[in-house]
Amino acid sequence: MKNILEGSRAIALTIKNINPAVVSAYPITPQTHIVEDLAKFKADGEADYEYARAESEFAAASIVLGASATGVRTYTATCSQGLLLMAEVVYNIAGMRLPIVMTCANRAVSAPINIWNDQQDVMSVRDAGWIMFFAENHQETVDQHIMAYKIAEKLKLPVMVNVDGFVLTHTYEPVEIPTREQIKKYLPDYKSTKGEFLDPNNPVTMGAFATPADYMEIREELHNDLIASKKIIDEEYKKFNKFFKQTVNGQQSTVNSPFLEYTGPSNPKVILVAMGSVIGTIKETVSEMNNIKSLAANLMREKIGILKIKIYRPFPAEEILKIIGKAKYVAVIDKSISLGQIGILASDIKAAAQGKINSKIQSFIVGLGGRDVTKEMVKKIIREVKTNGDEVKFIGK
Amino acid sequence: MKIVVKPNTSIKNKTGGWRTFYPEVSPQKCINCGLCAKVCPEGIIYKDEKAPKPYFHADLDYCKGCGLCAAECPVKAITMMLDNK
């Protein structure tokens, strides 16, 4: 049954049904209603997880790290400055191969102080070794959290689910939350591997010291495992869609995989690439072109394709090139920037495309610090990408 | 590579190579008070019971050459020497 829920509440209800053993968070701005709701469920006796209120985001991440090392399912959520304070632990969690799932409500980073949406926070830890999901809407957020636990626990890799702060966390949409019983059929109780978790009866050392003689191989292995995880992610996505048919995402799309969703003609002239909720705005914009209210018809007529990246790490380079290689112009729309370089997703796509495709790839920066991304801006990007020059452009008006 | 290991196995990482100076103990001067073993931040100074005259000395596989033992020795039995590797 569908309910009209706030994004944060939808995530909290999903986590409650996923039933972690330990939840820890730091309850101050920037935070979301996700952990507030989870605390309330516990206080009202509706949930039986341990809820550890931490003294900082660094501590919250450390608490879930420690709890996960004892072999139980854990959860935390954060955003912007909080994620930056967690950064050291974020790297540790991946290095120790702990299957932690964390929600990041994407928000801008100081200074100037700003609590609104962009994706700069997560981009600062993109190299830490986590699998990174990006959701477009509430239903996809719910679905990605359930899949995240399955993938994390199967691969012993942490997963971060990224949802646009405010745009998704503080807005209401119809969404279906699977019940605890439904989730349990897809995602059985977590059992950690024997001899690989903290147990007083069988002591082990985790996160130990590695000299130059071993460190490099350990890092290479983490990289290889992250790349190899694509196969399992693909399998789990197919399984998920069999278990939960309510999923509304990807129904209009031409190509739909766990990594990306492409909507548009097979011979596009322009492709717009983005991650997260801005995809909804792009679809709306194209839907209203030419006085015909149809996304599919307008995409055909304008020869525009829309490419949504759903998993940013491991980076689906081949899958992306296969789609954008057909277009003459590719506009990569980032809600973050590597200052002094270009948009971060754009930079990754350009690196992957080097010498492989001939499309013009241009970086566009939108929506920093919560600036509304309007339909006019999307139209401007479509116009701009078709002109000469490929320097990075800030589209603020 | 196994990253979850048994406790006390990081001993395989020989860290003595990090030092510049090493402690040289004079067995004749050593009075076996054991103060050097107590102040050693690495806990790697032991009593050599098998020597003709038992004395305390550092395990050079792990000694970082901090010199605390030499500074604290009440009879100046320990001299820090340049480690020519």
Side-chain angles (χ1 to χ4, degrees), chain B residues 6-45:
Chain B
K6 286 285 168 199
N8 210 26
T9 47
S10 66
I11 205 156
K12 91 171 187 99
N13 301 306
K14 303 244 164 105
T15 50
W18 304 357
R19 70 174 166 260
T20 307
F21 298 97
Y22 72 99
E24 196 171 84
V25 187
S26 156
Q28 279 71 38
K29 286 189 192 167
C30 177
I31 55 168
N32 284 302
C33 68
L35 195 57
C36 53
K38 288 198 179 83
V39 299
C40 175
E42 289 288 23
I44 46 95
I45 298 186

Side-chain angles (χ1 to χ4, degrees), chain A residues 95-97 195-196 202-205 209 211 214 217-218 221, chain B residues 1-10 12-15 18:
Chain A
M96 290 170 71
R97 309 292 301 262
E196 291 191 8
N202 179 26
V204 291
T205 298
F209 162 70
T211 60
D214 298 315
E217 280 72 21
I218 293 172
E221 220 163 90
Chain B
M1 195 174 295
K2 220 170 148 50
I3 57 164
V4 177
V5 292
K6 286 285 168 199
N8 210 26
T9 47
S10 66
K12 91 171 187 99
N13 301 306
K14 303 244 164 105
T15 50
W18 304 357

Side-chain angles (χ1 to χ4, degrees), chain A residues 162-179:
Chain A
N162 291 283
V163 295
D164 281 322
F166 292 101
V167 186
L168 295 182
T169 57
H170 290 60
T171 56
Y172 286 71
E173 264 184 18
V175 56
E176 184 161 334
I177 313 286
T179 63

Side-chain angles (χ1 to χ4, degrees), chain A residues 221-367:
Chain A
E221 220 163 90
L222 177 55
H223 169 74
N224 290 342
D225 286 356
L226 209 53
I227 299 288
S229 73
K230 284 163 103 177
K231 206 177 144 228
I232 302 284
I233 293 171
D234 201 48
E235 281 169 25
E236 284 307 328
Y237 182 72
K238 282 178 191 142
K239 252 185 233 166
F240 181 90
N241 287 343
K242 247 180 238 164
F243 268 82
F244 303 97
K245 292 195 172 59
Q246 87 278 18
T247 203
V248 290
N249 289 290
Q251 286 179 357
Q252 291 173 304
S253 63
T254 330
V255 180
N256 187 11
S257 85
F259 304 100
L260 47 82
E261 212 179 278
Y262 174 72
T263 317
S266 55
N267 58 338
K269 193 170 171 198
V270 177
I271 290 184
L272 305 171
V273 191
M275 304 194 287
S277 61
V278 73
I279 289 288
T281 312
I282 297 172
K283 284 179 186 165
E284 266 314 292
T285 311
V286 179
S287 297
E288 288 176 8
M289 284 173 161
N290 303 317
N291 302 321
I292 343 162
K293 221 176 158 18
S294 156
L295 176 63
N298 281 321
L299 287 169
M300 281 303 185
R301 197 154 153 183
E302 298 283 327
K303 289 199 169 177
I304 293 175
I306 302 169
L307 179 60
K308 167 168 100 176
I309 310 296
K310 295 195 275 187
I311 293 182
Y312 176 62
R313 286 289 184 272
F315 192 61
E318 276 172 41
E319 293 87 338
I320 292 174
L321 293 189
K322 222 164 142 187
I323 288 164
I324 64 169
K326 295 168 196 152
K328 196 167 175 200
Y329 306 105
V330 178
V332 185
I333 303 169
D334 273 284
K335 276 192 181 179
S336 63
I337 180 164
S338 171
L339 294 169
Q341 223 311 41
I342 60 171
I344 299 171
L345 177 63
S347 179
D348 281 355
I349 293 178
K350 279 197 176 194
Q354 174 65 31
K356 289 188 179 151
I357 61 170
N358 298 317
S359 325
K360 173 194 150 184
I361 302 167
Q362 191 170 5
S363 171
F364 293 92
I365 311 294
V366 299

Side-chain angles (χ1 to χ4, degrees), chain A residues 59-249:
Chain A
S62 300
I63 289 167
V64 290
L65 180 153
S68 181
T70 68
V72 299
R73 185 176 285 166
T74 61
Y75 176 76
T76 187
T78 190
C79 44
S80 98
Q81 304 307 120
L83 183 68
L84 297 195
L85 188 53
M86 278 185 179
E88 182 182 333
V89 192
V90 166
Y91 271 79
N92 272 324
I93 288 169
M96 290 170 71
R97 309 292 301 262
L98 296 170
I100 290 171
V101 173
M102 166 155 80
T103 310
C104 183
N106 302 128
R107 304 201 208 195
V109 167
S110 298
I113 297 175
N114 177 294
I115 54 167
W116 290 268
N117 165 241
D118 70 29
Q119 294 170 343
Q120 193 71 44
D121 51 1
V122 56
M123 287 307 180
S124 67
V125 294
R126 68 184 190 275
D127 305 326
W130 287 55
I131 292 172
M132 288 188 173
F133 282 76
F134 281 82
E136 179 193 339
N137 52 41
H138 291 25
Q139 190 63 57
E140 190 164 56
T141 302
V142 167
D143 295 354
Q144 287 190 350
H145 276 88
I146 302 168
M147 253 185 290
Y149 275 96
K150 187 80 185 279
I151 290 163
E153 289 166 9
K154 207 161 181 182
L155 292 164
K156 288 192 199 304
L157 285 169
V159 182
M160 196 180 297
V161 182
N162 291 283
V163 295
D164 281 322
F166 292 101
V167 186
L168 295 182
T169 57
H170 290 60
T171 56
Y172 286 71
E173 264 184 18
V175 56
E176 184 161 334
I177 313 286
T179 63
R180 185 176 285 205
E181 291 67 37
Q182 286 170 328
I183 291 177
K184 208 172 166 173
K185 274 187 209 151
Y186 171 75
L187 175 73
D189 291 341
Y190 173 49
K191 280 196 189 67
S192 52
T193 317
K194 200 170 168 274
E196 291 191 8
F197 60 93
L198 299 178
D199 171 12
N201 297 320
N202 179 26
V204 291
T205 298
M206 300 173 77
F209 162 70
T211 60
D214 298 315
Y215 182 87
M216 197 159 161
E217 280 72 21
I218 293 172
R219 299 303 278 176
E220 189 182 0
E221 220 163 90
L222 177 55
H223 169 74
N224 290 342
D225 286 356
L226 209 53
I227 299 288
S229 73
K230 284 163 103 177
K231 206 177 144 228
I232 302 284
I233 293 171
D234 201 48
E235 281 169 25
E236 284 307 328
Y237 182 72
K238 282 178 191 142
K239 252 185 233 166
F240 181 90
N241 287 343
K242 247 180 238 164
F243 268 82
F244 303 97
K245 292 195 172 59
Q246 87 278 18
T247 203
V248 290
N249 289 290

